[in-house]
């Protein structure tokens, strides 16, 4: 057992990343039931009631699980109040705090005896996560799906983190196969933190149409296009890697010039469920996803070469 399986109470050093809109209590529970470690991804707008409901689903029967919060959102303190108050089977073992100031929120997690993880995407993030005394450091490279930085590749970020701390370091970003997992462990990672491989699981909260679109995706693009189209207040340095639809390709790098017409086109497309406009966040590993699947099958495939 690596440090991280003992710390998290799992069989395998596989964490299913928190993914807002995709990873709710059902997916987290299914991953943990399969011997991995499932996480719930809260949106900035997720209410304390939603957090409590999803935590109850995830922890049913005593399965270990975690919850991921975003440090920059105005609702962070309210969400931390909700998470730190969870008790009994609904109590998460791990809370991740990423994308913003880490020290104060990690301190709040530690005050109630929960473990904290932080995703880091460059040297400054890493320094802050160490200063915050995060129990687990997630070295997240630019290949990763969803929001984060696109500055340092996963292998390099992992090496930087391993050189800087004795704490368990998980590798994240573009890890999609059993071979990828074996390589990350051989490079010194205590485990992996994967989002994209779980995007087509039936237990996920995304729609069957989104899952179908993901199985045919051939490329991703790092951009702020979906955020700008929806007027979301993500800090500029945290863009998002998503399936490279024509809309994303058109506006990637040119987001500041996005017109009201383009925003209206995006809103109308989302409204009618057109997956060319749905924010299909995914990492470079998306090309390995070819069919709908389930959490137990994904965990099995990821541990295949360990
Ligand atoms: C659809 C999607 C949603 C995500 N939402 C969150 C989130 O809510 N909070 C968070 O900390 N990270 C989020 N992430 C980033 C993941 O935590 C993780 O860094 C990423 O999935 C790792 O790279 P991979 O997708 O290549 O496995 C999201 C990723 C994806 C793909």
């Amino acid at each position: 057992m690596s440090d991280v399986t003992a710390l998290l109470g799992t069989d395998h050093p596989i964490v299913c990343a928190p993914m807002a809109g995709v990873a709710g209590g059902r997916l987290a529970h299914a991953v943990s039931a399969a011997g991995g470690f499932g996480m719930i991804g809260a949106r900035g707008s997720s209410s304390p009631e939603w957090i409590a409901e999803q935590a109850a689903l995830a922890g049913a029967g005593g399965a270990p699980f975690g919850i991921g919060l975003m440090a920059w959102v105005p609702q962070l303190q309210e969400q931390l109040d909700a998470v730190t108050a969870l008790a009994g089977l609904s109590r998460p073992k791990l809370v991740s705090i990423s994308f913003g100031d880490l020290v104060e929120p990690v301190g709040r997690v530690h005050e109630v005896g929960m473990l904290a993880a932080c995703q880091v995407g460059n040297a400054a993030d890493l320094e802050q996560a160490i200063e915050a005394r995060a129990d687990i450091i997630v070295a997240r490279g630019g290949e990763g799906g969803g929001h984060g930085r696109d500055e340092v590749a996963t292998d390099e970020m992992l090496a930087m983190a391993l050189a800087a701390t004795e704490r368990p370091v998980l590798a994240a970003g573009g890890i999609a196969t059993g071979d990828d997992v074996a390589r990350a462990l051989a490079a010194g990672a205590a485990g992996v933190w994967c989002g994209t491989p779980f995007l087509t699981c039936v237990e996920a909260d995304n729609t069957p149409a989104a899952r179908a679109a993901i199985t045919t995706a051939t490329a991703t693009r790092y951009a702020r296009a979906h955020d700008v189209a929806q007027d979301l207040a993500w800090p500029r340095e945290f863009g998002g890697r998503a399936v490279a639809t024509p809309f994303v390709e058109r506006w990637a790098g040119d987001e500041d010039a996005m017109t009201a017409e383009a925003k209206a086109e995006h809103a109308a497309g989302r409204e009618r469920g057109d997956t060319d406009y749905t924010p299909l966040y995914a990492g470079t590993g998306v090309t390995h996803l070819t069919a709908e699947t389930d959490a137990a099958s994904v965990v099995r495939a990821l541990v295949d070469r360990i």
Side-chain angles (χ1 to χ4, degrees):
M1 241 181 0
S2 75
D3 297 343
V4 90
T5 53
L7 200 60
L8 298 177
T10 60
D11 294 338
H12 307 301
I14 308 286
V15 174
C16 174
M19 293 185 280
V22 175
R26 228 159 55 90
L27 181 60
H29 182 81
V31 171
S32 294
F37 187 81
M39 299 213 37
I40 296 165
R43 293 180 192 276
S45 58
S46 295
S47 66
E49 292 73 28
W50 183 88
I51 288 172
E53 268 167 35
Q54 301 303 314
L57 289 175
F65 72 97
I67 300 184
L69 302 179
M70 297 173 294
W72 67 271
V73 302
Q75 299 88 339
L76 177 66
Q77 292 303 326
E78 187 194 348
Q79 292 185 338
L80 273 170
D81 289 345
V83 168
T84 54
L86 292 167
L89 297 183
S90 297
R91 180 180 156 92
K93 244 194 154 98
L94 178 72
V95 181
S96 74
I97 309 282
S98 307
F99 317 136
D101 290 338
L102 306 176
V103 175
E104 192 273 343
V106 167
R108 288 207 54 195
V109 170
H110 283 160
E111 266 167 29
V112 296
M114 294 173 185
L115 299 169
C118 296
Q119 297 186 67
V120 301
N122 66 15
D125 288 352
L126 175 59
E127 201 175 306
Q128 222 202 128
I130 291 170
E131 186 196 340
R133 301 183 174 281
D135 303 281
I136 294 175
I137 307 267
V138 183
R140 183 192 187 281
E143 298 95 321
H147 289 86
R149 298 187 193 273
D150 188 25
E151 293 177 30
V152 182
T154 300
D155 289 354
E156 194 186 333
M157 196 64 240
L158 175 63
M160 276 166 65
L162 288 170
T165 180
E166 294 295 314
R167 293 182 183 233
V169 177
L170 303 183
I175 295 168
T177 66
D179 284 334
D180 295 339
V181 173
R183 255 196 312 276
L185 298 183
V192 296
W193 172 284
C194 295
T196 296
F198 293 94
L199 286 175
T200 57
C201 288
V202 291
E203 299 94 340
D205 287 345
N206 53 3
T207 63
R211 295 200 282 270
I214 284 165
T215 61
T216 57
T218 53
T220 62
R221 184 85 188 255
Y222 183 84
R224 295 167 50 242
H226 288 304
D227 293 334
V228 172
Q230 297 174 85
D231 291 322
L232 296 179
W234 270 93
R236 292 182 78 88
E237 69 263 37
F238 301 117
R241 183 170 293 283
V243 172
T245 58
F247 185 90
V248 170
E249 291 287 16
R250 160 66 186 86
W251 293 103
D254 198 21
E255 288 91 344
D256 290 341
M258 194 181 290
T259 57
E261 288 74 20
K263 291 184 184 184
E265 174 195 333
H266 191 271
R270 278 185 293 121
E271 179 68 28
R272 64 173 185 271
D274 182 339
T275 51
D276 271 359
Y277 297 92
T278 311
L280 296 174
Y281 286 111
T284 55
V286 76
T287 51
H288 292 281
L289 302 178
T290 53
E292 204 166 64
T293 180
D294 59 76
S297 302
V298 176
V299 170
R300 245 193 333 271
L302 290 174
V303 301
D304 190 41
R305 301 298 173 94
I306 300 181

